[in-house]
C-alpha cells in the first residue's frame, strides 16, 4: 500500500522521482519535492508524535516553521538530530526518521498515563518547583527528566563541516513570497546588491500553494518562475533558498543559516564535498521583511487530535505537495480565508463535510461561492467535541449562544477524518521585534503589526508581514520597498512597473473568538490546547489568572507557554487574548512577548563553524617547539602559548623529572626556553618619565646597559604585572612582561599614552616574537657561556648581575641579559628567532660535559618558589598590593606620582591586617598542599570555620628536601611561627607560618 | 552587534573593538591632596545613563587607536566619534526618543 492519500493531479512534487524513506522502522515512499510531513500525509500517516507533558497523540498541525507537534529525530548514529520539524525536512533517498517522546511505540505509549495523573503536573508545577526549596526540585528531577524528554542527543562527535560567511548588501530581503520577489525585482533591476533569502527549498512562498492567483496575466506559479529566472541572471543578486534569517541584531546585522546539504543523503559525495550548513552574517543597508504571516489555530476542545490542522496547511499539502491530509474535512473558522481552502480541497477531490463558521452572519463573496459549490456552511456554530483518540473520527457541532460564550444544548455529529481551523493570521513580526521595533494591535485583523522602528535600525515590513494580506498589497508594498532601498543606496536604473495582481475576492470581517465553548467548564471532558508543544491549555491560562500571574511575562513563566522550541509561533496571541478576556482588558494591555533570536533553532555546529578542535584558538609556538617535542616534553598552555612543561627521561614520572631538573639548576646548569616572555620596545624622549609613571620604582637614574625589576600597579594600587626592563640607550628601553599579561600590558600602556599623556613622546612596539630567549641558569652557566661566547668578558665587574651586553654566541649576534628567576647565576640570551635552534643546540653540545639539563615551566616554578619570587596571577589576584606581598622595597617614596600611588594611601589598602604573602611549612615534610587550599586559624569540628586565606603556590622542593608553600593569609606577617590548619579531603594538615623564602635567603648564589 | 565608525579606518564590526571605559575622566594630577572620597570618585564612580553616553573604544583588531564615541545606551545609535582630546559634542535628540 503506497501513498494512499497522494492526489492523482496537482502539486509540485516530481512523481517520476520516487524516494524511499523509513519512519519509526517502517518503509515508505514519497517523491522528490516532498517534505517528510507531506510524504507521511501522502502515505496516510497522521499520528507522528507524542506531546511533551501529557504524551498526547499528535499529528501534523502546520506546513512550515511554526510546527509545534511533528518533532522528529532525524538520521542515525553521530548524525542523528533531535527536535526537527517534519514540515521543514526535505525528503531524500534513504531518509531515516523517528518519532519522539514515546515508549515503547507511538500507538502504545506508557507515558500517556501522565494524562491521567495531570493533577500532579498542574500548570505552574515547574515554576513552583524551581521557586521552592532546592530539595523539592531534587526529589522530582529524576522523574521529570525521564518523563519529559523530547529527542535524544547523539553521543558521538558531529562528523560534518560547517562554514561561516560575512556579507554586505544594499537590501537584504527576507522571504521570497509575492512581496519579497517584487522587492527583489525592483531593487535588482535598479542595480542594487540584493540578498534574497527564503527558509524553504523553493522560492515563491504562499504563491506555491495558490491555485487561483494571477499576476501580470500569468498564473502565480509561472510568475514565480519568471521572476526567479530574471533574478538569477542579475550578477548583484544572491538567491539563498533553504536559508532562514534567524536573528536581527544592532545596526542592521542579520544572521542567516543556510542548509547547504541537509536535503541530500548525508553520506552522498555531493553532501560530503560541501559544508553541511553555513552561517551568514549580513550587514544590510536596508532589510525588507517579507516574512508573511502565520495562521492561528482555533482553540476548541481536544483541538490536538491527530487530523486537527491549520486550514492553510491543508491547502498547502493539497495544492503544493499533492498530498491530502485526509479524505473528509470539517473546517472551523472565524474568517474568510478558510473558504478558499475549502474550495481548493473540493477542486482537488477532497470532500468538505461542513464549514463551521463562528461568525453570526457569515456572508460575502467567498461564502456565497462555497455554498454555490454545495459546501454546507454552519454559521454561528462551534465544534464542541472531537471524537477519536489516535485520529479524528468525527466532530460534534452546536450553535453558539450568549455572545459566543456558550452553546446550544443539542448538537449534531459529523463524520470526518480532519478538522481544519483558521483563527486568523498573525504577521510574522519576529525579526522586526528582534530588531527592537515596537508592535501595535490591529483590531481589524486581530493581530499585532509593526509600528515604530528603533532608531539606528533600518527595515521595512511589507505585505502580509505588516498585515496587508491581499496579493495586490504584497506586490505593491514589495516593489515600492525594493525601489526605495535601491534608491537610498544610490542605484536608480529603471525598474519597470509594479507587478499587477488579478482580481481578488473581497473579505468579510472576522469574529473575535478566542476560545470555543464546549458546553462544559474549561478542562472538563477534554482539553482546549493553546500551546501544543508545551501542553498549555486554556484552563491553564485561567489557573494562572486565578493565582495572580496576569502579565504576559508572568503568564509565560508560570505556564511555560511560548517557551518550547517553537517559541509559541501558533500560541502566543491566543494565550494573550485569553488572558485579556479573563482580565477584562484590551489585548495590548496584557502586553506582547519579546521575540528573541533564533527564529527557529540553529545547530551549535553552525555557530562553531570551523572554529573548533585545532582551530578553536590560535596556538603560539616558540622557535624551539619542535626540539621540545622531539625530547618528549608535554606542553603547558599559557595564554595561547604552548610551553614545554618538563622533559621526562624514559621511566621517569613527572615528579622524578621535575626534581632532576630543579637539582641540576642548583648544582650545575639548566637551560630553558623563555621566548614567550612579553617584550615591548619603548622609545622616545619621555620614555624614562613614562616608566616612572607605570612602575612603582624609579627609572631616571638607570644607566644604559643596566636592567631593573619593576612592578606595575593598576590605578587601584593592585599588582597587575611585573618584569625586568633594561635601558638600551638614553631614550630607549626594552620591557619584559609576564607571558600571559603581554597583550594586556601593551593595551594598558597604549591607553595612558593615547588617552591621558597625549603630549608625551613615547612610542611602543611589541617585539615579543622578534626575540627568542634562551636562559642558562646555575653555577656552571658562566663557564658554559664563556666557551660559546669567547669574546665576551663575563667577570662580575665587566658584566655584573642586572646588566646586559651585546655579543656573539655560537656565531650568532645575541643580546644577553644577566637577570635571574631562579636565584642562580643566569644569562638570558636574546636573538633572532630563526637562529634560536642553532644557539640552543650549540649550548646543549657545549654543556654536555656539565650535564646541561633542559628544564620546563614546572621546574622554573619550583626554582622561583624556593626563592620566594612571586608569579603575578598566582600570588596575586587583583586584590593584592605590593605591601601585601612584602615588597615595599620596590615602591618609591620619593617619586611624586605613579599609577596606583594614591590608592596605596587609601584607608583600606594601608590597613596593617590585610592578607599577606607568607610561607607555609607543613608538619609532615612530604605533604604537598593543594594550591587553593583554604586556611583556618581556629579549627572546629565541622564547617563553618573562619577562612583566613588560601595557598597560592605549593611544590615539593628537592633542594630543601621537603614541601614548600606560599599563601595569602589575613594578618599573615604578624603570625610568624604560628600553626595554621588546612582542612581538606577529610583530613586536616598543619603547617607553620614562615617567611616566604625557602632557599638561599641571603641571595649568595647569584654570582655562581 | 554594533557597526562602529573608527575615525581612522571607517565602519567596522564591533568584534574588532574593545570597550575602554567612560570617556572624559581626567586623571587628577593632585592625587596626594585629594581625600579618599574624592579619589574614590575618580577611581570608582561611573555614569550609567539612559541615553547618550560618552565612552572610549579601542580598535584592537585594527589600527589600535583609542577614540571617543557618543552612543545611546537605549538604542545603540552612535551619534558621533571623535579623537582623543576633543571635547564631548552636545547631542541634540529629536523629541520622543
Ligand atoms: Zn581603526
Amino acid at each position: 500500500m503506497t501513498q494512499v492519500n497522494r492526489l492523482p493531479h496537482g502539486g509540485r512534487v516530481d512523481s517520476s522521482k520516487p524516494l524511499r524513506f523509513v519512519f519509526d522502522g517502517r518503509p515508505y515512499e514519497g517523491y522528490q519535492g516532498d517534505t517528510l510531513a507531506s510524504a507521511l500525509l501522502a502515505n496516510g500517516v497522521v499520528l507522528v508524535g507524542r506531546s511533551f507533558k501529557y504524551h498526547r497523540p499528535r499529528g501534523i498541525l502546520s506546513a512550515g516553521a511554526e510546527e509545534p507537534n511533528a518533532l522528529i529525530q532525524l538520521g542515525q548514529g553521530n548524525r542523528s538530530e533531535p527536535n526537527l520539524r517534519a514540515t521543514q525536512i526535505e525528503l531524500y533517498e534513504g531518509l531515516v526518521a523517528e518519532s519522539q517522546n514515546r515508549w515503547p511505540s507511538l500507538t502504545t505509549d506508557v507515558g500517556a498515563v501522565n494524562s491521567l495523573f495531570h493533577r500532579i503536573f498542574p500548570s505552574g508545577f515547574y515554576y513552583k518547583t524551581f521557586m521552592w526549596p532546592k530539595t523539592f526540585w531534587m526529589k522530582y528531577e529524576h522523574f521529570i527528566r525521564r518523563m519529559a524528554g523530547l529527542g535524544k542527543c547523539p553521543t558521538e562527535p558531529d562528523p560534518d563541516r560547517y562554514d561561516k560567511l560575512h556579507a554586505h548588501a544594499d537590501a537584504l530581503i527576507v522571504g521570497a513570497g509575492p512581496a519579497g520577489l517584487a522587492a527583489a525585482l525592483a531593487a535588482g533591476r535598479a542595480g542594487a546588491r540584493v540578498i534574497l533569502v527564503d527558509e524553504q527549498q523553493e522560492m515563491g512562498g504562499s504563491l506555491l500553494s495558490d491555485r487561483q492567483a494571477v499576476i501580470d496575466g500569468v498564473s502565480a506559479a509561472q510568475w514565480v518562475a519568471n521572476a526567479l529566472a530574471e533574478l538569477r541572471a542579475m550578477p548583484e543578486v544572491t538567491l539563498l533558498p533553504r536559508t532562514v534569517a534567524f536573528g536581527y541584531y544592532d545596526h542592521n546585522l542579520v544572521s542567516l543559516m543556510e542548509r547547504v546539504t541537509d536535503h541530500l543523503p548525508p553520506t552522498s559525495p555531493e553532501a560530503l564535498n560541501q559544508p553541511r550548513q553555513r552561517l551568514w552574517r549580513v550587514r544590510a543597508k536596508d532589510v525588507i521583511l517579507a516574512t508573511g504571516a502565520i495562521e492561528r489555530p482555533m482553540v476548541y476542545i481536544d483541538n490536538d487530535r491527530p487530523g486537527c490542522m491549520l486550514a492553510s496547511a491543508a491547502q498547502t499539502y493539497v495544492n503544493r505537495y499533492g498530498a491530502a491530509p485526509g479524505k473528509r474535512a470539517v473546517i472551523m473558522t472565524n474568517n474568510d480565508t478558510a473558504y478558499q481552502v475549502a474550495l481548493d480541497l473540493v477542486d482537488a477531490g477532497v470532500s468538505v463535510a461542513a464549514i463551521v463558521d463562528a461568525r453570526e452572519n457569515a456572508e460575502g463573496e467567498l461564502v456565497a461561492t462555497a455554498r454555490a459549490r454545495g459546501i454546507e456552511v454552519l454559521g454561528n456554530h462551534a465544534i464542541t467535541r472531537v471524537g477519536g483518540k489516535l485520529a479524528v473520527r468525527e466532530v460534534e457541532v452546536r450553535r453558539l449562544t450568549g455572545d459566543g460564550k456558550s452553546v446550544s444544548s443539542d448538537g449534531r455529529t459529523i463524520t470526518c477524518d480532519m478538522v481544519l481551523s483558521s483563527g486568523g493570521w498573525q504577521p510574522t513580526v519576529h525579526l522586526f521585534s528582534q530588531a527592537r521595533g515596537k508592535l501595535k494591535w490591529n483590531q481589524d485583523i486581530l493581530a499585532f503589526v509593526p509600528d515604530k522602528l528603533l532608531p539606528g535600525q533600518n527595515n521595512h515590513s511589507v505585505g502580509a508581514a505588516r498585515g496587508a494580506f491581499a496579493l495586490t498589497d504584497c506586490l505593491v508594498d514589495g516593489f515600492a520597498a525594493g525601489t526605495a532601498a535601491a534608491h537610498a543606496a544610490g542605484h536608480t536604473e529603471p525598474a519597470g512597473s509594479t507587478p499587477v495582481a488579478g482580481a481578488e475576492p473581497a473579505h468579510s470581517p472576522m469574529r473575535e473568538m478566542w476560545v470555543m465553548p464546549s458546553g462544559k467548564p474549561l478542562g472538563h471532558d477534554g482539553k482546549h490546547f493553546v500551546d501544543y508543544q508545551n501542553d498549555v491549555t486554556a484552563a491553564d491560562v485561567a489557573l494562572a489568572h486565578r493565582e495572580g500571574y496576569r502579565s504576559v511575562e508572568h503568564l509565560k513563566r508560570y505556564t511555560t507557554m511560548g517557551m518550547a522550541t517553537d517559541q509559541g509561533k501558533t500560541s502566543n496571541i491566543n494565550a494573550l487574548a485569553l488572558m485579556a478576556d479573563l482580565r477584562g482588558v484590551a489585548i495590548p494591555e496584557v502586553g506582547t512577548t519579546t521575540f528573541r533570536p533564533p527564529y527557529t533553532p540553529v545547530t551549535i555546529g553552525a555557530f562553531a563553524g570551523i572554529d573548533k578542535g585545532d582551530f578553536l584558538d590560535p596556538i603560539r609556538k616558540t622557535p624551539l617547539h619542535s626540539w621540545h617535542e622531539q625530547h618528549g616534553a608535554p606542553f603547558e598552555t599559557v595564554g595561547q602559548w604552548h610551553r614545554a612543561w618538563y622533559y621526562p627521561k624514559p621511566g621517569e614520572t613527572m615528579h622524578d623529572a621535575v626534581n632532576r631538573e630543579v637539582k641540576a639548576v642548583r648544582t650545575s646548569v639548566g637551560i630553558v626556553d623563555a621566548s614567550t616572555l612579553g617584550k615591548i620596545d619603548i622609545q622616545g624622549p619621555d620614555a624614562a618619565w613614562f616608566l616612572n609613571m607605570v612602575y612603582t620604582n624609579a627609572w631616571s637614574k638607570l644607566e644604559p646597559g643596566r636592567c631593573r625589576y619593576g612592578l606595575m600597579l593598576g590605578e587601584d594600587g593592585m599588582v597587575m604585572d611585573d618584569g625586568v626592563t633594561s635601558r638600551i640607550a638614553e631614550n630607549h628601553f626594552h620591557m619584559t612582561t609576564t607571558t600571559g599579561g603581554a597583550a594586556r600590558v601593551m593595551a594598558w600602556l597604549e591607553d595612558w599614552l593615547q588617552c591621558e599623556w597625549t603630549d608625551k613622546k613615547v612610542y611602543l612596539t611589541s617585539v615579543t616574537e622578534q626575540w627568542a630567549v634562551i636562559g642558562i641558569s646555575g653555577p656552571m652557566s658562566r663557564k658554559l657561556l664563556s666557551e660559546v661566547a669567547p669574546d665576551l668578558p663575563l667577570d662580575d665587574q665587566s658584566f655584573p648581575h642586572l646588566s646586559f651586553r651585546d655579543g656573539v654566541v655560537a656565531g650568532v649576534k645575541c643580546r644577553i641579559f644577566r637577570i635571574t628567576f631562579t636565584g642562580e647565576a643566569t644569562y638570558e640570551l636574546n636573538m633572532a628567532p630563526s637562529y634560536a635552534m642553532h644557539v640552543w643546540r650549540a649550548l646543549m653540545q657545549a654543556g654536555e660535559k656539565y650535564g646541561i639539563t633542559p628544564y620546563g615551566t614546572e621546574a622554573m616554578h619550583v626554582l622561583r618558589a624556593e626563592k620566594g619570587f612571586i608569579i603575578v596571577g598566582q600570588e596575586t589576584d587583583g586584590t593584592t598590593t605590593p605591601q601585601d606581598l612584602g615588597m615595599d622595597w620596590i615602591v618609591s617614596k620619593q617619586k611624586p606620582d605613579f599609577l596606583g600611588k594614591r590608592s596605596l594611601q587609601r584607608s583600606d589598602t594601608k590597613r596593617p591586617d590585610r592578607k599577606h604573602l607568607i610561607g607555609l611549612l607543613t608538619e609532615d615534610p612530604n605533604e604537598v598542599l593543594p594550591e587553593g587550599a583554604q586556611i583556618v586559624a581556629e579549627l572546629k569540628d565541622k564547617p563553618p570555620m573562619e577562612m583566613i586565606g588560601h595557598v597560592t603556590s605549593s611544590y615539593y622542593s628537592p633542594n630543601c628536601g621537603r614541601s614548600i608553600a606560599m599563601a595569602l593569609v589575613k594578618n599573615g606577617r604578624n603570625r610568624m611561627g604560628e600553626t595554621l590548619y588546612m582542612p581538606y579531603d577529610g583530613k586536616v594538615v598543619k603547617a607553620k607560618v614562615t617567611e616566604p623564602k625557602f632557599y638561599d635567603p641571603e641571595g649568595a648564589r647569584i654570582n655562581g | 552587534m554594533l557597526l562602529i565608525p573608527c575615525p581612522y579606518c571607517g565602519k567596522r564590526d564591533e568584534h574588532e573593538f574593545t570597550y575602554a571605559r567612560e570617556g572624559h575622566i581626567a586623571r587628577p594630577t593632585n592625587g596626594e591632596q585629594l581625600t579618599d572620597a574624592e579619589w574614590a570618585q575618580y577611581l570608582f564612580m561611573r555614569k550609567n545613563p539612559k541615553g547618550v553616553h560618552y565612552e572610549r573604544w579601542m580598535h584592537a583588531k585594527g589600527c589600535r587607536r583609542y577614540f571617543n564615541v557618543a552612543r545611546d545606551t537605549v538604542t545603540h545609535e552612535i551619534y558621533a566619534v571623535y579623537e582623543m582630546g576633543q571635547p564631548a559634542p552636545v547631542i541634540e535628540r529629536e523629541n520622543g526618543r
Side-chain angles (χ1 to χ4, degrees), chain A residues 707-725:
Chain A
C707 320
R708 183 165 287 171
Y709 175 76
L711 206 55
M712 219 177 259
L713 307 186
E715 189 69 313
D716 57 2
M718 303 302 156
V719 174
M720 170 187 151
D721 207 79
D722 69 347
V724 171
T725 292

Side-chain angles (χ1 to χ4, degrees), chain A residues 905-917:
Chain A
Q905 300 310 313
R906 294 177 63 237
S907 56
D908 188 59
T909 34
K910 64 181 184 192
R911 205 158 38 84
D913 59 346
R914 287 171 60 88
K915 282 185 183 171
H916 301 144
L917 187 70

